[in-house]
Amino acid sequence: MQIAFLHGAAPQLLSVLRIIAAASFFTHGMVKLFGWPAPFEYPLNALLLLAGFLEVIGGMLLMIGLFSRQVAFLLSGQMAFAYFIGHGSEGFFPALNGGEAAMLFCFLFLFFYIAAAGPGPWSLDEVASKAPPVQQAGPSN
């Protein structure tokens, strides 16, 4: 059963999903790197610094929808790695090992949405795809 009034808005809702998920992801990186909007409760090491950098830069790129598929693919791998390295040793179930966010970001970014479906119409990727081709300067006939 489809909800008729939402069916026509699916592309725009994909953009909203991308923007909201990316904003949340961005915030995770801001906490790690800058202690904002809350202090990070664990000591930083090289992996956490790299994760924070990827979360801030990747989150920003996804929010604006630039290089969306490539960034989403990269961040999906980061979240799979985070899940297995940071949470998997605490047990199998994400609700019990604290890895729900990592698992959700991984599947949201890679499977079906973002990397597979694209960023939606409200993105710089979409704007760039509709731009007229740039003509090369050269001798005129």
Side-chain angles (χ1 to χ4, degrees):
M1 177 175 92
Q2 291 189 10
I3 302 174
F5 73 93
L6 290 178
H7 184 69
Q12 291 77 15
L13 292 173
L14 172 58
S15 290
V16 170
L17 175 65
R18 173 187 46 81
I19 293 164
I20 298 300
S24 177
F25 198 72
F26 173 81
T27 305
H28 282 270
M30 292 297 286
V31 167
K32 285 181 185 82
L33 296 182
F34 304 109
W36 181 87
F40 190 59
E41 58 188 74
Y42 302 104
L44 287 177
N45 58 32
L47 283 177
L48 289 173
L49 284 171
L50 177 60
F53 177 77
L54 289 171
E55 290 162 4
V56 168
I57 301 300
M60 182 62 70
L61 288 170
L62 280 180
M63 273 192 279
I64 64 174
L66 186 61
F67 308 117
S68 302
R69 291 176 190 263
Q70 298 88 340
V71 170
F73 185 80
L74 174 71
L75 297 180
S76 175
Q78 178 205 356
M79 287 295 95
F81 183 80
Y83 182 80
F84 288 109
I85 297 300
H87 303 283
S89 63
E90 300 296 320
F92 179 74
F93 297 102
L96 301 177
N97 68 19
E100 282 183 312
M103 183 214 35
L104 287 171
F105 281 128
C106 177
F107 283 92
L108 175 67
F109 290 153
L110 178 60
F111 296 104
F112 312 117
Y113 283 87
I114 321 300
W122 299 336
S123 67
L124 291 180
D125 288 339
E126 183 70 16
V127 170
S129 73
K130 294 185 188 297
V134 177
Q135 293 184 352
Q136 301 259 336
S140 59
N141 294 338

